[in-house]
Amino acid sequence: MQENGTEVTAAGIARLAGVGRAAVSNWRRRHADFPKPVGGTETSPSFALTEIEDWLRAQGKLAEVPLRERVWQQVAGHPQGPVTALIHIGCALLLVHDRPTVWLEVSAGSDARLADLLPAPLDQVLTPRFGAIRKRAVATPTASQLRPSAPLLRAAAELAAELDARKAFEFLLGRHLDANPRQYTLTPTGLAALMADLAGPATTVLDPACGTGALLRAVAAAQGATATEEQHLDGQDSAPELAALTALRLALHTRAVVRTAAADTLRADAFDSLRVDAVVCHPPFNERNWGHDELAYDPRWEYGFPARTESELAWVQHALARLREGGVAVLLMPPAAASRRSGRRIRADLLRRGALRAVIALPPGAAPPYNLPLHLWVLRKPALAAQAARPEVLLADTGVFTADSRGGLDWQAVRTAVLDAWRPFDRTGTVPEQPDLSRCVPVIELLDDDVDLAPARHLPPPAAGGGERLADVRDSLGETLRLTDRLTPPPAAPRPPVRWPLTTIGELARGGALQLRTGGSGGHARVPVLTDHDVLAGTAPSGTLPDSDEEPVLTEAGDVVVPVLGGGSIARVVDEATAGAALGRNLALLRPDPAALDPWFLAGFLRGTANNRQASSYASTATRLDVRRLQLPRLPLEQQRVYGERFRALAEFEETLRLAGRLGEQLVRGMYDGLTDGTVEPG
């Protein structure tokens, strides 16, 4: 077995070899010399990575896997778990980043020598960046702890030479977070950037529920070239591994002083004497066990003792307690916190004393839970000498920017709308109202029995003209229905099934007739992302990818995109309007050689029900499509184009039907709204 004991599952072997998992199962059955499992379970065994690599290489099956993928396989199969592997990598990459010559010196020689020599230089780097060992979240690994990681650290340093240390760590951390979506509650990049913008320039920043550090990273990024060692970024999280990963991530990202602590923030505040310029926070929602019984007399409850069901208002008051006078706090809140009766007295006191400055409703899909329109609360620590409340509060609702399909938002539009309202309000205390978007509401108007701060309840209605808009929708629907009639396929003459000679997508890919790519798990490209739901619904690219340094797969006109989950017989030909979008997760992209394959012929035959059935595998909760097993008839290019034109006409008919359905729903909803608000007469 290899020295570091790194293991890989069947899925990892398939990725290394560029095949499906079924092929790995076949190899195990057919080849007596296939490596034996070294761990895992009977149904999900794991294998020694180096033994697998040696076997694949001897069989000529080892694909040209990028270095970053090989390093990730080592992280995922680390004997102490991927989190420990990432922490060791982060420490080593910080040494590579800060003292590259020292790394070269200690990495010369054997793995055992590297593990023995590394702790001392690591401590020399970690202590000035994070403080004394007893006070920091990142402990210096010992030689015995580093010994299993030594080969991995060399590979990570090699990856850092290719990308740079920060990008290498971001890639590996992003892959880990993407591989464990239920384990972590992430703050999307667009939302983190908006919260950093609302917080404004700040020298000292605290995130009391820092998670993986997305908000603090966004604050540091917003400072840009002005971020220096004078900036302090502090974070706390109850999970020690998250506090450590956040510290390493920030240290690689910025020269600011970084301090993170691992403890329950409300019960054991590690920064109780700290006063900062800004607090950014995505707190846990709906916690009942937040410390209500132990913290009844805590001095942080300046605006009232939160009820057991109001954990979010405890986080709000914690944030205010850590601000200096005039400091700004931006918190992501569940919409119920703005209207629950149990919190009305605290909300009222926040308003009376001028602490709450804005409540901004985000569109559904902004952050988990994605089905709720979450709120941003912007607060400012009142000066002691100014006890009178500010006369108005900004309420905004960006629900008009809700995407038509799952997953993606136009964050640039949301950001522009929010900041165009907030920045002048922050300077002057007022801003002109915008129907259905934002309004400055007098505090006295909100101080009723409910103290309901939900923006939608206080915004002015949309501008007049509903009847005219409905007439336009009706005209568009009529035109679309007429187009649908013209596009209806002619009746098909019956004929017996044809027995064509068949080939598979896998064979075509190996022969060079097409390229096969899969959707990425992250990227820095600021382009729309084509999601699996976009393909299923026939809508424009609407998604986002987690921010990482992985190179996204960009679509081109003529590509064929196929969802691999869900069991639907769907394939979409990328047009000029969609070209350039990044390929989202759970999608496979086929790029045909125009001299060998017609894209519409390819997409049409991939949609055959029988074709999809024979290429699908079934789990207890999902159906997965093995794209390589999909079949195509072997036809000359000219005959392919004849079929392709018919498939193109069917796709146009299908899209027109979708448009008619959307217009019909819009007309019906508009009529209901018009009749109920009086803008449409019943006669």
Side-chain angles (χ1 to χ4, degrees):
M1 187 183 302
Q2 74 273 29
E3 184 179 349
N4 70 329
T6 301
E7 299 174 8
V8 63
T9 64
I13 297 172
R15 187 185 290 269
L16 285 171
V19 299
R21 291 185 61 176
V24 178
S25 298
N26 288 335
W27 294 342
R28 291 186 64 196
R29 289 194 301 268
R30 296 176 182 176
H31 297 275
D33 62 339
F34 192 88
K36 303 302 181 186
V38 297
T41 65
E42 185 176 348
T43 57
S44 181
S46 58
F47 305 83
L49 177 59
T50 54
E51 292 181 6
I52 289 294
E53 289 179 334
D54 290 343
W55 188 87
L56 291 174
R57 192 174 290 109
Q59 296 288 329
K61 301 179 185 297
L62 186 63
E64 288 298 324
V65 180
L67 173 62
R68 60 179 67 190
E69 182 60 39
R70 296 174 65 83
V71 178
W72 165 246
Q73 290 294 341
Q74 290 182 267
V75 171
H78 194 278
Q80 297 174 1
V83 172
T84 298
L86 287 169
I87 292 173
H88 290 178
I89 287 172
C91 293
L93 290 183
L94 194 56
L95 178 63
V96 171
H97 182 270
D98 287 2
R99 301 183 182 182
T101 57
V102 175
W103 165 260
L104 292 175
E105 180 181 340
V106 299
S107 62
S110 68
D111 288 347
R113 178 181 183 273
L114 171 62
D116 290 338
L117 295 181
L118 196 53
L122 285 184
D123 195 56
Q124 293 171 7
V125 170
L126 297 176
T127 298
R129 296 300 296 270
F130 302 136
I133 184 66
R134 287 177 296 177
K135 297 182 179 180
R136 68 179 190 234
V138 185
T140 304
T142 65
S144 61
Q145 291 171 332
L146 287 171
R147 199 159 286 119
S149 300
L152 171 60
L153 300 185
R154 294 184 189 277
E158 186 181 352
L159 183 62
E162 179 181 297
L163 301 176
D164 80 29
R166 180 185 67 82
K167 291 181 179 179
F169 188 72
E170 283 294 319
F171 164 73
L172 296 171
L173 177 60
R175 286 294 295 268
H176 173 66
L177 297 177
D178 188 60
N180 300 275
R182 297 183 180 179
Q183 188 174 343
Y184 305 102
T185 300
L186 304 181
T187 306
T189 304
L191 175 58
L194 174 59
M195 293 176 69
D197 288 333
L198 290 168
T203 301
T204 54
V205 185
L206 170 68
D207 183 349
C210 63
T212 59
L215 291 177
L216 291 173
R217 184 173 180 268
V219 170
Q223 301 292 325
T226 64
T228 67
E229 296 179 7
E230 297 179 359
Q231 189 180 39
H232 286 66
L233 301 175
D234 300 317
Q236 184 168 348
D237 198 277
S238 59
E241 66 275 11
L242 292 182
L245 290 173
T246 291
L248 292 165
R249 187 182 196 188
L250 293 173
L252 287 165
H253 186 76
T254 176
R255 296 304 304 177
V257 177
V258 175
R259 295 182 303 174
T260 61
D264 186 312
T265 296
L266 296 181
R267 288 186 174 92
D269 183 13
F271 302 103
D272 55 351
S273 61
L274 186 66
R275 299 297 179 268
V276 297
D277 299 329
V279 173
V280 287
C281 186
H282 178 174
F285 296 161
N286 302 319
E287 280 197 335
R288 295 299 181 97
N289 185 27
W290 58 268
H292 177 271
D293 295 339
E294 307 102 286
L295 302 173
Y297 301 102
D298 195 288
R300 287 172 291 183
W301 316 142
E302 186 178 347
Y303 300 87
F305 181 40
R308 190 183 302 275
T309 57
E310 293 289 351
S311 62
E312 296 86 8
L313 294 182
W315 286 97
V316 165
Q317 294 190 78
H318 174 83
L320 285 167
R322 296 296 157 261
L323 288 174
R324 62 165 178 78
E325 289 185 12
V328 176
V330 184
L331 286 87
L332 185 67
M333 301 283 281
S339 56
R340 280 190 299 242
R341 290 190 61 80
S342 54
R344 66 188 186 278
R345 292 184 180 178
I346 295 177
R347 294 195 299 269
D349 209 31
L350 290 169
L351 290 171
R352 290 191 189 98
R353 298 175 59 182
L356 183 59
R357 304 303 302 127
V359 176
I360 300 162
L362 298 169
Y370 290 107
N371 60 319
L372 293 179
L374 301 178
H375 290 179
L376 290 176
W377 285 25
V378 185
L379 304 106
R380 191 179 297 277
K381 178 82 167 185
L384 295 177
Q387 296 296 329
R390 300 288 291 273
E392 294 182 330
V393 173
L394 176 65
L395 300 182
D397 189 341
T398 60
V400 295
F401 299 106
T402 300
D404 290 335
S405 54
R406 182 187 64 192
L409 293 177
D410 186 350
W411 276 112
Q412 185 57 46
V414 173
R415 177 181 180 275
T416 300
V418 170
L419 296 181
D420 284 353
W422 165 251
R423 285 173 173 164
F425 173 80
D426 188 37
R427 289 193 303 269
T428 65
T430 189
V431 69
E433 70 177 41
Q434 301 183 59
D436 213 28
L437 184 59
S438 64
R439 177 191 172 202
C440 291
V441 182
V443 167
I444 192 65
E445 185 177 318
L446 298 171
L447 294 175
D448 54 17
D449 289 341
D450 296 322
V451 196
D452 191 334
L453 305 180
R457 302 181 192 274
H458 303 280
L459 294 183
E468 289 82 351
R469 288 199 300 273
L470 286 179
D472 292 340
V473 172
R474 188 177 185 280
D475 291 343
S476 297
L477 176 59
E479 182 179 344
T480 303
L481 290 174
R482 288 190 291 272
L483 179 60
T484 303
D485 183 61
R486 293 199 300 271
L487 292 174
T488 301
R495 56 180 291 187
V498 179
R499 299 293 183 182
W500 283 301
L502 299 175
T503 186
T504 66
I505 294 298
E507 291 171 348
L508 291 170
R510 287 191 292 271
L514 57 79
Q515 299 177 37
L516 176 59
R517 305 287 299 277
T518 55
S521 58
H524 275 318
R526 294 294 177 259
V527 295
V529 176
L530 186 68
T531 69
D532 55 345
H533 188 77
D534 297 331
V535 176
L536 294 169
T539 52
S542 66
T544 57
L545 288 174
D547 192 30
S548 78
D549 291 290
E550 185 172 354
E551 195 69 27
V553 178
L554 301 182
T555 59
E556 298 178 3
D559 289 346
V560 177
V561 180
V562 183
V564 298
L565 292 180
S569 302
I570 294 296
R572 174 171 170 176
V573 179
V574 175
D575 57 16
E576 294 292 344
T578 306
L583 190 68
R585 293 164 47 189
N586 301 323
L587 289 175
L589 180 144
L590 308 176
R591 182 164 294 161
D593 179 353
L597 283 173
D598 179 81
W600 285 102
F601 164 81
L602 173 63
F605 273 94
L606 295 188
R607 292 191 61 172
T609 302
N611 198 5
N612 276 259
R613 187 181 297 122
Q614 63 84 27
S616 296
S617 58
Y618 305 94
S620 58
T621 58
T623 302
R624 186 171 188 89
L625 182 70
D626 185 349
V627 177
R628 292 177 176 271
R629 291 171 54 189
L630 288 169
Q631 298 176 334
L632 283 180
R634 297 179 182 271
L635 297 180
L637 186 59
E638 288 303 316
Q639 193 173 354
Q640 290 181 32
R641 287 171 178 160
V642 174
Y643 276 95
E645 284 302 315
R646 188 65 182 271
F647 286 136
R648 186 199 298 265
L650 280 176
E652 186 179 358
F653 175 65
E654 182 179 38
E655 176 56 33
T656 306
L657 287 177
R658 286 200 189 99
L659 177 59
R662 290 195 293 267
L663 289 171
E665 291 176 1
Q666 186 177 349
L667 180 61
V668 170
R669 172 51 51 196
M671 288 296 296
Y672 273 111
D673 290 344
L675 289 167
T676 55
D677 65 18
T679 58
V680 174
E681 294 184 2

